Amino acid sequence: MIRFNDVNKWFGANHVLKDINLHIQPGEAVVICGPSGSGKSTLIRCINQLEPIQKGEIFVDNIQVNKRATNLTRLRSQIGFVFQQFNLYPHLSVLENVVLSPIKVKKIARREAEENARELLERVGIPDKADDYPSQLSGGQCQRVAIARGLAMNPKVMLFDEPTSALDPEMIKEVLDVMVELAVEGMTMIVVTHEMGFAREVAHRVFFMDEGQIVESNAPDAFFDHPAHERTKAFLSKIITHN
Amino acid sequence: MLSHFNFRVILQYLPLFLKGLWATSWISAISIFFALLLGVLACSMRLSSTGFLKKTAGVYIESMRATPLLAQLYFFYFGLPTLHINLNEIQTGILALSLNSGAYIAEIVRAGIVSIPDGQTEAGTAYGLTYLQRMRYIILPQALGVTIPALLGQFIVLVKDSSLVSLISVLELTRAGQLMASERFMPTEGFFTVAAFYLVIYFVLKYLSTLWQNRLIYREP
Ligand SMILES: Nc1ncnc2c1ncn2[C@@H]1O[C@H](COP(=O)(O)OP(=O)(O)OP(=O)(O)O)[C@@H](O)[C@H]1O
Ligand SMILES: [Mg+2]
């Protein structure tokens, strides 16, 4: 579903992604963790070309994304992206946030888009908030709207960039529950997170990134219980004592 | 001072003033409309990544802001006919006012746009919206909201600037005052009345902008 071949990216002289190779199967849920600045966000932002890459190839569903000829609008309409800071549109109601792209990008009729949006809001547990504005919602509710907004495009892949790290602790679970459900239903997803409970529960693989490289990748139990690399061990001991 | 005013003459000239008020109002309204269009367009061009569009918009904005409106007005009034473009006085006035104000509005809107967090553009991009769709549905509605006070200021400047078209003999508010002043030798009464009518326009504009702002208002996240 997603394939990286020797992907390299620089921000100016800063080499941020170094020879990244990975292959993610349809229906797979992958968690990426690693220290701040290791390139986790950059890696997933390259998948929908929010960031261009300078070397290598990225394929989504067998379509090479880092080519001029690629229809980015079409590509992006197949990839849901959930941001750490939600990035909901503050001037639009919750319902309008969810239907905007289906109507404008996918050209779905408004009626149908709204019906679908209400179903999705139901699914993420906030059917009664459709007419509220983002500023009237809690962080957890905002993030669930953002997930609904992603799902409304009927994407093949969902990408999450630290979806719970801007949330108060008591709201983390309500967002994770929605994500667990998605994973269980077989959504292909890549999640940058340090929520190790989530990783153990639903991830098929966990990647550890450091200094622009994927240092280690393994099934979650093996990853947490028997990390192979020193850097992984050091990182895990830090976040575990911290939790 | 008011006790020395000759209200009888003011009353006598009232029809002329009302005619002037009407002309100032609609000339300003049309100019504001075109200035907004131009301003948003020039601003989008200036923020685009295409070098040619960026430069064109830059030249337009700088040259309008760096030269006096009166010079621009005369330039169009005397210059366009030599290019065989024949506009009447009112059309020339609207052209100059719209072009001039458009440049200022472009800068005001630009300030509004850059104040919108990058995350908004990113979300729109990630969800497949094109540049124009992002502008239309995400950025501009928010940017215009925060720029209403500055836009109001610019609209008021435009209304006041529209008095310059009296110099190419358009009968508007200021011209009405000039006529009264010169025909009856009453500059004080004439221009006082003119000022009072501008004040009326100001309050109407202010009221409209409050309505507009209330419509766009949303609570910050
Ligand atoms: N837009 C940008 N311009 C220049 N450098 C950037 C930009 N975005 C990220 N970087 C740099 O790229 C590197 C990787 O950043 P990235 O945001 O991908 O890390 P991260 O693993 O997501 O970190 P965090 O956990 O703090 O979110 C960092 O050194 C960062 O300073
Ligand atoms: Mg990050």
Side-chain angles (χ1 to χ4, degrees):
Chain A
M1 177 63 78
I2 296 177
R3 186 191 288 278
F4 278 51
N5 291 336
D6 286 322
V7 170
N8 281 272
K9 173 166 181 71
W10 287 263
F11 281 116
N14 188 1
H15 198 173
V16 185
L17 296 180
K18 298 171 185 161
D19 291 324
I20 303 281
N21 285 289
L22 56 83
H23 187 190
I24 288 160
Q25 304 287 344
E28 208 181 358
V30 169
V31 160
I32 303 179
C33 60
S36 182
S38 55
K40 309 178 298 291
S41 300
T42 308
L43 186 145
I44 64 169
R45 289 161 60 89
C46 288
I47 297 172
N48 66 356
Q49 292 286 288
L50 276 180
E51 299 287 355
I53 61 170
Q54 280 78 41
K55 219 178 115 205
E57 297 168 324
I58 300 177
F59 293 88
V60 174
D61 208 20
N62 292 318
I63 295 167
Q64 188 175 348
V65 303
N66 61 319
K67 265 200 326 208
R68 253 172 180 266
T70 309
N71 183 339
L72 283 183
T73 299
R74 251 197 77 200
L75 168 81
R76 286 168 177 154
S77 68
Q78 300 173 351
I79 303 175
F81 200 105
V82 175
F83 298 88
Q84 180 174 358
Q85 302 293 345
F86 330 133
N87 294 351
L88 293 178
Y89 312 129
H91 60 300
L92 299 178
S93 70
V94 164
L95 193 70
E96 292 301 321
N97 263 276
V98 179
V99 299
L100 181 66
S101 281
I103 292 176
K104 300 301 173 195
V105 179
K106 291 204 138 174
K107 313 288 181 204
I108 293 172
R110 172 167 276 277
R111 257 187 87 119
E112 196 184 323
E114 286 189 2
E115 248 170 57
N116 187 34
R118 287 186 194 278
E119 272 169 36
L120 288 170
L121 290 175
E122 180 107 44
R123 192 164 152 197
V124 299
I126 40 174
D128 49 333
K129 300 291 183 195
D131 300 318
D132 286 9
Y133 283 80
S135 55
Q136 295 165 284
L137 306 184
S138 71
Q141 291 170 331
C142 280
Q143 198 58 299
R144 286 185 282 157
V145 173
I147 294 173
R149 177 173 69 172
L151 293 174
M153 300 295 272
N154 200 8
K156 293 181 175 150
V157 185
M158 286 287 284
L159 307 175
F160 296 82
D161 191 359
E162 306 207 32
T164 56
S165 46
L167 299 178
D168 293 336
E170 72 269 20
M171 293 169 184
I172 291 178
K173 186 170 177 304
E174 64 190 47
V175 171
L176 288 180
D177 284 348
V178 171
M179 293 168 58
V180 166
E181 198 176 308
L182 271 181
V184 170
E185 286 165 8
M187 173 64 78
T188 310
M189 49 206 264
I190 304 183
V191 184
V192 175
T193 186
H194 294 151
E195 292 295 333
M196 296 309 151
F198 173 80
R200 274 198 196 261
E201 190 176 346
V202 293
H204 298 93
R205 278 186 290 164
V206 181
F207 293 178
F208 172 69
M209 276 191 85
D210 195 16
E211 296 181 355
Q213 288 170 312
I214 296 179
V215 176
E216 183 162 353
S217 83
N218 215 334
D221 288 338
F223 180 88
F224 292 115
D225 300 336
H226 312 288
H229 287 262
E230 284 308 317
R231 283 193 276 175
T232 318
K233 283 181 200 164
F235 175 74
L236 286 177
S237 69
K238 253 186 247 158
I239 58 168
I240 286 165
T241 47
H242 196 254
N243 281 357
Chain B
M1 181 179 93
L2 281 177
S3 56
H4 298 292
F5 261 41
N6 190 335
F7 283 105
R8 196 183 48 81
V9 180
I10 293 180
L11 260 171
Q12 202 183 339
Y13 271 82
L14 200 56
L16 186 72
F17 278 116
L18 289 179
K19 225 173 132 188
L21 175 68
W22 171 240
T24 291
S25 305
W26 74 262
I27 290 173
S28 300
I30 294 180
S31 303
I32 285 174
F33 173 77
F34 284 118
L36 259 180
L37 281 186
L38 263 171
V40 170
L41 181 73
C43 166
S44 310
M45 285 167 63
R46 189 158 210 190
L47 290 172
S48 86
S49 48
T50 314
F52 170 72
L53 295 180
K54 220 181 168 84
K55 285 235 174 69
T56 312
V59 168
Y60 159 62
I61 293 169
E62 307 275 303
S63 58
M64 284 293 151
R65 281 161 46 105
T67 56
L69 174 58
L70 185 57
Q72 294 162 14
L73 188 64
Y74 281 146
F75 176 79
F76 292 125
Y77 187 60
F78 295 111
L80 289 183
T82 66
L83 301 172
H84 302 287
I85 300 171
N86 291 305
L87 301 178
N88 65 30
E89 289 82 0
I90 292 183
Q91 292 164 339
T92 308
I94 290 173
L95 178 71
L97 286 170
S98 310
L99 281 172
N100 179 273
S101 223
Y104 288 92
I105 288 176
E107 290 294 275
I108 292 172
V109 175
R110 187 166 73 122
I113 287 175
V114 298
S115 77
I116 305 300
D118 290 343
Q120 294 292 307
T121 302
E122 282 189 355
T125 310
Y127 282 97
L129 297 172
T130 62
Y131 173 78
L132 286 178
Q133 287 175 323
R134 290 196 305 267
M135 278 291 166
R136 165 77 182 76
Y137 299 111
I138 300 175
I139 307 298
L140 284 178
Q142 296 183 58
L144 290 178
V146 299
T147 52
I148 288 173
L151 284 176
L152 170 68
Q154 184 55 37
F155 295 164
I156 289 162
V157 168
L158 186 147
V159 171
K160 292 189 292 180
D161 281 352
S162 74
S163 63
L164 287 179
V165 304
S166 63
L167 296 175
I168 55 173
S169 56
V170 173
L171 174 66
E172 42 65 78
L173 207 42
T174 303
R175 181 90 184 129
Q178 284 167 356
L179 286 176
M180 176 171 161
S182 60
E183 288 172 12
R184 295 299 178 94
F185 307 105
M186 288 183 187
T188 319
E189 282 89 341
F191 290 112
F192 181 85
T193 314
V194 167
F197 279 119
Y198 278 114
L199 211 57
V200 170
I201 300 181
Y202 167 76
F203 282 117
V204 171
L205 271 178
K206 206 171 142 177
Y207 175 70
L208 290 177
S209 84
T210 320
L211 283 187
W212 187 24
Q213 194 152 29
N214 287 343
R215 251 199 58 190
L216 282 173
I217 210 95
Y218 55 86
R219 276 186 279 160
E220 289 294 323

